[in-house]
């Protein structure tokens, strides 16, 4: 077994999208090979409805998949195929845009005005970029959960983990998407397929991610369970951790524990031509998508 080294740790940056939604972007619109097959990751979290209520009005997608995971509040969605629905807390929507879809996503806070969710964009290989659009809406109660003896808790959104299989299926990158909580002071190792690109995103508490050849931080005898790392070594809220190759990821939880997403997928390793919400393989395909949008042929008839 080999522990994956940490290639980079960086904070998500504040930005605005849609009709003025304030969010934090961990990666996106830069080097598409960095976390291939994943293109973008946003954390939309706010306690002020004025900063999210105008949402993401009607807009197109082609050539990608968008994955929306809601933690607090709800998101109403509608699309050009006539689908409508509402994602509640704990639920997931996996949308395969394929040949093209127009949709809107409108965040609605909970009774306290809080809204929190994540959106991940996954690329599609060239052979599947013009496939028929598809939605998978998964209620929170349908997502399997497992708790280890040390209190580590995992929600399995996609892929297989600890004997559980996530309900989202048929995804091109065959991803593993886990929501993991590790209790205070616990050091934990998680298996990841060697051939996948992987990243973690911390959104609650803090923890230390490192490979076995590097120091795990200064141990403080009187801290939580006598096994806590030096606070200066911890990755906290809204931190992206990008891993190198290996088949395991290890984390040492901080004084308040740590909760993070652990996401991995098989790289596609194809050329990327990218403009906003449309991602193709060539500039010619991208230009065709723009012409389709302009002349009203963006939405392809079902076969």
């Amino acid at each position: 077994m080999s522990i994956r080294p940490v290639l980079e740790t960086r904070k998500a940056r504040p930005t605005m999208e849609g009709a003025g939604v304030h969010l934090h972007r961990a990666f996106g619109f830069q080097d598409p090979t960095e976390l291939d097959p994943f293109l973008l990751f946003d954390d939309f979290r706010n306690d002020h409805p004025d900063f999210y209520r105008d949402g993401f009005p009607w807009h197109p997608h082609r050539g990608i998949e968008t994955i929306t995971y809601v933690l607090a509040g709800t998101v109403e969605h509608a699309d050009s195929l006539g689908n409508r629905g509402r994602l509640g807390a704990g639920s997931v929507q996996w949308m395969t845009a394929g040949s093209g879809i127009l949709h809107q996503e409108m965040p609605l806070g909970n009774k306290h005005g809080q809204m929190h969710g994540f959106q991940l964009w996954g690329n599609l290989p060239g052979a599947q970029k013009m496939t028929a659009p598809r939605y998978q809406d998964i209620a929170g109660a349908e997502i399997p959960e497992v708790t280890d003896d040390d209190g580590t808790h995992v929600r399995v959104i996609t892929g297989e983990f600890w004997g559980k299989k996530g309900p989202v299926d048929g995804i091109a990158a065959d991803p593993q998407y886990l929501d993991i909580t590790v209790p205070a002071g616990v050091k934990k190792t998680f298996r990841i397929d060697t051939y996948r690109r992987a990243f973690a995103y911390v959104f609650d508490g803090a923890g230390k991610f490192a490979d076995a050849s590097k120091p795990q931080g200064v141990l403080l005898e009187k801290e939580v369970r006598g096994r806590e790392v030096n606070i200066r070594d911890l990755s906290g809220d809204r931190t992206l951790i990008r891993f190198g190759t290996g088949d395991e990821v290890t984390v040492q939880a901080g004084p308040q524990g740590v909760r993070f997403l652990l996401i991995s997928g098989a790289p596609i390793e194809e050329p990327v031509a990218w403009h906003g919400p449309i991602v193709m393989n060539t500039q010619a395909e991208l230009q065709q998508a723009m012409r389709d949008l302009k002349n009203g042929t963006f939405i392809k008839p079902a076969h």
Side-chain angles (χ1 to χ4, degrees):
M1 301 298 174
S2 58
I3 302 296
R4 287 180 179 242
V6 173
L7 298 181
E8 180 186 13
T9 299
R10 66 173 181 247
K11 286 287 190 179
R13 296 182 177 182
T15 188
M16 282 199 298
E17 282 292 349
V21 178
H22 293 241
L23 51 80
H24 283 72
R25 178 160 293 154
F27 63 87
F29 297 108
Q30 293 175 329
D31 180 2
T33 67
E34 183 180 73
L35 282 164
D36 178 20
F38 306 114
L39 298 165
L40 175 146
F41 182 85
D42 285 343
D43 179 346
F44 54 96
R45 180 190 334 182
N46 218 293
D47 295 340
H48 305 287
D50 288 346
F51 291 162
Y52 62 75
R53 66 161 48 111
D54 291 335
F56 306 92
W58 292 95
H59 59 279
H61 284 291
R62 177 179 284 181
I64 65 171
E65 300 179 290
T66 67
I67 304 96
T68 306
Y69 179 31
V70 179
L71 290 185
T74 59
V75 176
E76 288 187 340
H77 69 88
D79 68 53
S80 52
L81 302 177
N83 297 310
R84 291 184 177 273
R86 177 176 287 196
L87 301 176
S91 63
V92 176
Q93 180 192 86
W94 204 293
M95 184 192 77
T96 303
S99 61
I101 199 165
L102 299 172
H103 79 152
Q104 68 171 359
E105 299 163 299
M106 307 303 288
L108 304 172
N110 59 22
K111 63 181 181 181
H112 304 293
Q114 299 165 327
M115 183 70 229
H116 189 191
F118 307 104
Q119 187 164 95
L120 174 69
W121 289 11
N123 199 7
L124 281 170
Q128 297 183 35
K129 283 191 178 294
M130 296 301 287
T131 191
R134 177 191 183 203
Y135 271 95
Q136 295 183 71
D137 286 351
I138 310 295
E142 297 178 44
I143 297 175
E145 304 185 20
V146 59
T147 303
D148 206 1
D149 293 341
D150 59 12
T152 297
H153 184 79
V154 181
R155 303 190 82 217
V156 184
I157 296 167
T158 67
E160 295 187 21
F161 189 77
W162 286 357
K164 301 288 186 178
K165 183 176 176 58
V168 180
D169 62 10
I171 305 304
D174 187 27
Q176 187 179 62
Y177 191 131
L178 308 174
D179 177 354
I180 298 174
T181 302
V182 181
V186 171
K187 183 179 178 181
K188 199 72 175 174
T189 296
F190 304 93
R191 292 292 307 277
I192 295 181
D193 187 285
T194 306
Y195 300 101
R196 295 169 179 262
R197 296 269 170 79
F199 70 91
Y201 182 76
V202 176
F203 61 94
D204 193 18
K208 171 68 175 177
F209 295 80
D211 66 307
S213 64
K214 296 181 181 179
Q216 295 293 306
V218 179
L219 295 179
L220 305 178
E221 294 296 332
K222 295 184 180 179
E223 285 289 353
V224 180
R225 301 186 187 179
R227 294 155 52 190
E228 188 49 57
V229 297
N230 191 314
I231 299 300
R232 291 172 299 178
D233 294 326
L234 301 182
S235 295
D237 188 22
R238 294 193 176 104
T239 300
L240 173 78
I241 299 96
R242 189 163 61 93
F243 299 105
T245 57
D247 51 22
E248 293 182 336
V249 165
T250 187
V251 61
Q252 169 81 55
Q256 308 302 319
V258 63
R259 187 176 179 187
F260 61 97
L261 303 178
L262 182 59
I263 299 174
S264 62
I268 295 173
E269 298 179 334
E270 292 181 354
V272 172
W274 187 355
H275 181 75
I278 299 172
V279 183
M280 305 303 289
N281 289 117
T282 68
Q283 287 297 317
E285 291 170 339
L286 198 57
Q287 291 164 6
Q288 182 62 54
M290 297 305 165
R291 286 194 294 270
D292 288 347
L293 272 173
K294 186 176 181 179
N295 63 25
T297 59
F298 188 79
I299 306 302
K300 304 300 181 185
H303 296 291

